């Protein structure tokens, strides 16, 4: 039962709870009209202290498609934050007006602080270089739809594994499934943080390999998760410029991959996947973005504890 809960980290839900969400999202895809008034009278706040297109729009579209409404801000300088208001005061105020809030913040842990000050559900939409659990829901839902499950997969992560929060969250979430192994492809400067390596991969005895060469890894992957180099988290521009075009997935490299390798990317893309790959049926990143809206619809319904006529009849 997810009613009233928060989603702050990728492991907050059990694998069974995730499966319930995937099934609900699938039902929404099949019959969206059954859900178009499910959230009538409900209000979602989107508190974005950092830029976003997909995450914010997909949450807003999700709530609007459920018949609910949305208020919020998309940069901190247009809210009272610019006057120095604390997260806890902002949340306690917002909680007077809305039923749930989605928060993106440049500081790691900010949504945890927010959740501690209110009973309404708080969803972490990305906290610094830490986690991005709703992108993980999107990624898992896409894998589940395409591959039917998660066991026995070899998953490659490529690019900025140091600052890429979507990578940290997805590694954590996939580690719970049977016989999943990871190939972590990055330059030495952008390897996964120590807490992911030690507290997840080594501790859970997950099979993983850290490599620099993408071509070497491609032939054995079932999934390739590409990421952009996270310019905004670099301390100097020179390092960013040196590293940004290190990996570019193009048509020639796709020839090295399996016929059913899925290419995922949380987007936005910069240069790391050339546009020619978009036409390849294995390129699923735009489908993934679309799935993100449906899984967020399922998440909103579940956290608000709304059962539609559709669900109740089946129980
Ligand atoms: C990601 C993020 O914000 O971490 N984007 C997203 O939410 N789809 C990835 C990124 O910005 O590179």
């Amino acid at each position: 039962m997810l009613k009233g809960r928060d989603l702050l980290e990728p492991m907050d839900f059990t694998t069974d709870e995730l499966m319930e969400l995937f099934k609900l999202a699938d039902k929404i895809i099949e019959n969206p009209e059954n859900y178009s008034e499910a959230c009538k009278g409900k209000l979602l706040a989107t508190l974005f202290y950092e830029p976003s297109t997909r995450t914010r729009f997909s949450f807003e579209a999700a709530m609007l498609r459920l018949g609910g409404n949305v208020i919020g801000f998309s940069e901190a300088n247009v809210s009272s934050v610019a006057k120095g208001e604390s997260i806890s005061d902002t949340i306690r105020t917002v909680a007077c007006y809305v039923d749930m809030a989605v928060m993106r913040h440049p500081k790691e842990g900010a949504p945890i602080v927010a959740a501690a000050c209110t009973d309404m559900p708080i969803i972490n939409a990305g906290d610094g270089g830490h986690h991005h659990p709703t992108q993980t829901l999107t990624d898992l839902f896409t894998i589940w739809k395409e591959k039917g499950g998660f066991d026995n997969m070899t998953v490659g992560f490529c690019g900025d594994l140091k600052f890429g929060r979507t990578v940290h969250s997805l590694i954590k979430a996939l580690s719970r499934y049977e016989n999943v192994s990871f190939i972590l492809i990055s330059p030495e400067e952008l390897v996964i943080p120590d807490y992911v390596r030690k507290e997840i991969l080594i501790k859970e005895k997950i099979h993983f390999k850290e490599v620099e060469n993408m071509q070497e890894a491609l032939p054995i992957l079932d999934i390739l998760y590409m990421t952009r180099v996270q310019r905004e988290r670099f301390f100097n521009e020179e390092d960013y410029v040196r590293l940004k075009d290190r990996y570019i997935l193009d048509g020639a490299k796709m020839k090295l991959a399996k016929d059913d390798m899925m290419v995922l990317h949380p987007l936005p893309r910069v240069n790391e996947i050339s546009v020619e790959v978009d036409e390849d049926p294995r390129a699923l990143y735009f489908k993934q973005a679309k799935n993100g809206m449906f899984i967020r619809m399922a998440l909103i319904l579940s956290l608000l504890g709304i059962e539609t006529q559709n669900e109740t009849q089946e129980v």
Side-chain angles (χ1 to χ4, degrees):
M1 188 69 170
L2 296 181
K3 183 178 178 185
R5 304 238 308 255
D6 303 307
L7 177 58
L8 304 173
E9 299 223 358
M11 310 291 259
D12 284 352
F13 299 164
T14 64
T15 50
D16 287 345
E17 286 167 341
L18 289 179
M19 201 50 75
E20 289 303 309
L21 275 181
F22 301 155
K23 288 182 186 157
L24 177 56
D26 236 4
K27 282 194 202 167
I28 299 172
I29 291 174
E30 274 162 34
N31 292 100
E33 62 286 356
N34 289 350
Y35 300 85
S36 60
E37 300 211 348
C39 284
K40 206 168 170 192
K42 299 289 182 192
L43 206 45
L44 167 79
T46 50
L47 314 175
F48 277 69
Y49 295 76
E50 227 191 27
S52 163
T53 309
R54 260 150 304 274
T55 307
R56 186 166 62 84
F57 281 8
S58 64
F59 265 113
E60 294 185 356
M63 190 52 157
L64 295 173
R65 285 180 184 276
L66 290 167
N69 274 302
V70 183
I71 54 173
F73 54 82
S74 54
E75 7 175 2
N77 61 10
V78 297
S79 73
S80 281
V81 176
K83 299 180 188 164
E85 188 172 52
S86 68
I87 292 177
S88 85
D89 283 4
T90 303
I91 291 293
R92 289 169 72 174
T93 309
V94 170
C96 301
Y97 313 135
V98 305
D99 302 287
M100 68 193 304
V102 178
M103 179 190 236
R104 169 170 287 193
H105 203 284
K107 286 219 177 84
E108 282 82 4
I112 298 177
V113 174
C117 343
T118 175
D119 286 338
M120 75 172 169
I122 298 289
I123 300 172
N124 176 5
D127 59 328
H130 193 217
H131 279 303
H132 193 347
T134 66
Q135 181 63 45
T136 303
L137 293 183
T138 303
D139 303 337
L140 292 176
F141 180 49
T142 306
I143 297 170
W144 178 74
K145 278 181 81 62
E146 300 294 321
K147 301 265 186 202
F150 307 99
D151 298 342
N152 309 314
M153 300 272 175
T154 301
V155 186
F157 287 90
C158 180
D160 187 346
L161 311 189
K162 179 179 182 184
F163 297 114
R165 54 193 172 195
T166 62
V167 171
H168 310 155
S169 291
L170 187 56
I171 288 180
K172 207 167 178 183
L174 283 172
S175 299
R176 289 199 284 196
Y177 297 95
E178 287 298 313
N179 195 29
V180 172
S181 49
F182 300 116
I183 313 260
L184 306 171
I185 311 157
S186 73
E188 212 186 317
E189 295 91 329
L190 297 178
V191 296
I192 45 157
D194 238 17
Y195 84 92
V196 178
R197 187 180 302 103
K198 289 193 181 138
E199 289 166 33
I200 306 169
L201 298 173
I202 296 178
K203 194 169 155 209
E204 303 296 329
K205 299 190 176 61
I206 312 287
H207 187 263
F208 75 100
K209 211 166 142 187
E210 297 186 80
V211 301
E212 282 203 41
N213 186 312
M214 185 193 210
Q215 282 90 321
E216 215 176 89
L218 272 170
I220 60 165
L221 300 179
D222 299 304
I223 299 169
L224 172 62
Y225 195 93
M226 292 296 295
T227 61
R228 79 183 163 96
V229 175
Q230 306 270 304
R231 180 181 205 157
E232 67 277 30
R233 305 203 199 282
F234 271 69
F235 293 111
N236 70 68
E237 183 72 7
E238 248 169 62
D239 285 348
Y240 169 72
V241 171
R242 188 165 50 80
L243 295 167
K244 72 182 172 67
D245 291 331
R246 181 65 175 273
Y247 300 104
I248 299 179
L249 183 66
D250 55 17
K253 293 202 186 79
M254 285 300 285
K255 289 205 177 97
L256 302 172
K258 290 185 185 172
D259 290 344
D260 62 348
M261 182 188 78
M262 298 174 68
V263 183
L264 298 178
H265 191 308
L267 303 176
R269 146 179 64 186
V270 185
N271 277 333
E272 59 282 354
I273 303 182
S274 54
V275 287
E276 68 187 14
V277 177
D278 297 358
E279 302 310 317
D280 190 309
R282 294 169 289 182
L284 294 169
Y285 26 91
F286 289 110
K287 210 167 178 185
Q288 181 185 1
K290 188 164 183 182
N291 285 337
M293 180 183 73
F294 294 111
I295 197 71
R296 288 180 174 101
M297 289 171 83
L299 179 67
I300 292 170
L301 283 175
S302 305
L303 298 187
L304 290 178
I306 293 172
E307 290 189 12
T308 61
Q309 201 63 27
N310 206 23
E311 258 76 59
T312 21
Q313 270 166 10
E314 276 179 27
V315 179

